[in-house]
Amino acid sequence: MSSVADMEKKMEELEKRMDTIEEMEKSQACGDAEELKKENEALRAENEELKIKLEKDEYRIKHLIRSLEEEEKKEEVIERLNYRIRTLVRSLNVAEGRPANEDLKALPASAKPKVEESDPFWGVDLVVGRIVKAWKHEKADKLICEVIDCGEAFGGERKIASGLFLFYRPEDLEGKLVVVVANLKEKPLVGYPSHGMVLCACKEDHSAVQVLEPPADAVPGMKITLEGLPASTEATKEINLRSKSNKWDAAQPELRVDANGEAVYKGYYLTVNGKHLKAASLTDVPLS
């Protein structure tokens, strides 16, 4: 019996000690929790201060970025207007039989707009092609069907349909060097699988259209570049003209022939083999 009583007594003592330890642990935990609470409140207050400061800095940065963007846009608009004015003066001089550059000194200097590596021009493959065969489309009055050699690097011969029948006889196009927009997605034109576009100088009312002509020593497959600028190193992608934000639609408004009939993009001459590309006689009109 005594042994049982001793065991019960020991168990009671153990239970008391366990209760004491538990209370101590609770007390310690409460103390730690209180410390943690104070520390947490201090951190939270510091975090709020940092958040307010960050929001103010972010607002200043956004405001600064907007200001810089607005200034850049203003400068770009002014540059383009100056360039356009000088181009119009050259055209007027030529039309009236005066030297093309007459009276330009009185105008503001025309700085060329920047052509960054991200410019849509670099996403368009303008390539020298040679028309191997051409014939009138059987069902479309304005279309000429062509087979054009675009060089091995661009798939060799390909089929393209162009709205040129009102301006060229098909037989006159055969053997002719042209510029092809080579990375357009293939699209049937009245049943003819057209894979690309022949770049032409066009009057605004389409009363006159002339193919853009590479120099005589150009070879199919040569890529058109901008004079004085390094070509982009990014690979071009296929352009779907049905997409609202495609590279061709973004670049095309800046392509034109100047007062001398030479092809330019944002004031930079289009070149191949170190030479400029020209329209036969049209001047100061868009390229499309």
Side-chain angles (χ1 to χ4, degrees):
M1 292 290 294
S2 59
S3 60
V4 173
D6 290 339
M7 288 180 66
E8 288 178 346
K9 189 175 180 180
K10 286 182 179 180
M11 287 179 68
E12 286 178 4
E13 289 176 356
L14 284 171
E15 286 177 356
K16 286 180 181 179
R17 287 179 64 187
M18 288 175 67
D19 290 338
T20 302
I21 291 170
E22 189 174 343
E23 287 177 5
M24 289 176 66
E25 287 178 345
K26 286 181 180 179
S27 176
Q28 182 69 29
C30 288
D32 290 345
E34 191 65 31
E35 288 295 322
L36 287 171
K37 184 178 179 181
K38 289 180 181 178
E39 186 177 350
N40 191 36
E41 287 176 353
L43 288 172
R44 190 175 296 169
E46 186 178 351
N47 188 45
E48 285 298 320
E49 289 179 6
L50 288 172
K51 186 177 178 181
I52 293 169
K53 185 179 179 182
L54 183 62
E55 287 175 351
K56 289 180 178 179
D57 289 344
E58 188 177 1
Y59 173 79
R60 291 193 193 100
I61 291 169
K62 286 182 178 179
H63 181 71
L64 180 60
I65 290 172
R66 278 198 298 269
S67 299
L68 290 172
E69 287 176 346
E70 287 173 3
E71 286 300 317
E72 287 178 358
K73 286 179 181 177
K74 287 178 185 177
E75 289 178 4
E76 186 175 348
V77 169
I78 291 170
E79 287 175 356
R80 291 190 181 188
L81 285 174
N82 285 342
Y83 173 74
R84 183 66 177 148
I85 290 169
R86 295 172 75 85
T87 301
L88 289 172
V89 170
R90 286 192 184 96
S91 299
L92 184 62
N93 286 341
V94 171
E96 295 180 353
R98 296 193 300 271
N101 292 328
E102 188 174 317
D103 297 330
L104 288 183
K105 290 182 180 179
L107 297 173
S110 177
K112 295 176 184 176
K114 295 178 181 178
V115 180
E116 306 288 355
E117 190 169 348
S118 59
D119 193 278
F121 177 86
W122 303 120
V124 179
D125 281 335
L126 297 181
V127 177
V128 175
R130 186 184 298 277
I131 299 178
V132 177
K133 188 178 179 182
W135 65 96
K136 185 183 180 302
H137 195 292
E138 294 179 356
K139 297 180 180 179
D141 292 339
K142 297 180 181 180
L143 289 182
I144 292 179
C145 300
E146 304 136 350
V147 175
I148 302 179
D149 178 12
C150 291
E152 186 177 343
F154 292 91
E157 293 184 358
R158 64 171 69 190
K159 295 178 179 179
I160 294 178
S162 306
L164 295 173
F165 189 73
L166 298 180
F167 310 100
Y168 290 91
R169 295 184 303 176
E171 57 268 28
D172 292 337
L173 289 173
E174 291 184 353
K176 196 173 188 65
L177 287 175
V178 293
V179 176
V180 174
V181 185
N183 60 326
L184 299 183
K185 185 177 181 179
E186 185 175 309
K187 177 184 177 182
L189 289 180
V190 197
Y192 189 74
S194 185
H195 189 194
M197 179 192 301
V198 175
L199 193 60
C200 297
C202 310
K203 282 192 173 182
E204 301 282 356
D205 59 1
H206 285 268
S207 60
V209 176
Q210 294 175 350
V211 296
L212 186 63
E213 299 179 1
D217 60 353
V219 176
M222 285 184 170
K223 196 167 179 182
I224 311 302
T225 59
L226 298 179
E227 188 173 62
L229 294 180
S232 172
T233 56
E234 291 187 12
T236 54
K237 299 178 181 178
E238 185 178 63
I239 296 173
N240 185 353
L241 292 180
R242 292 181 179 178
S243 171
K244 292 182 179 179
S245 57
N246 67 75
K247 299 287 187 182
W248 170 248
D249 285 347
Q252 187 274 325
E254 298 290 348
L255 283 164
R256 58 189 305 106
V257 292
D258 64 9
N260 298 316
E262 295 184 315
V264 293
Y265 179 79
K266 292 185 177 180
Y268 293 88
Y269 287 109
L270 272 63
T271 64
V272 63
N273 213 20
K275 298 177 182 177
H276 297 175
L277 295 85
K278 298 187 69 173
S281 60
L282 289 177
T283 59
D284 195 31
V285 296
L287 288 167
S288 62

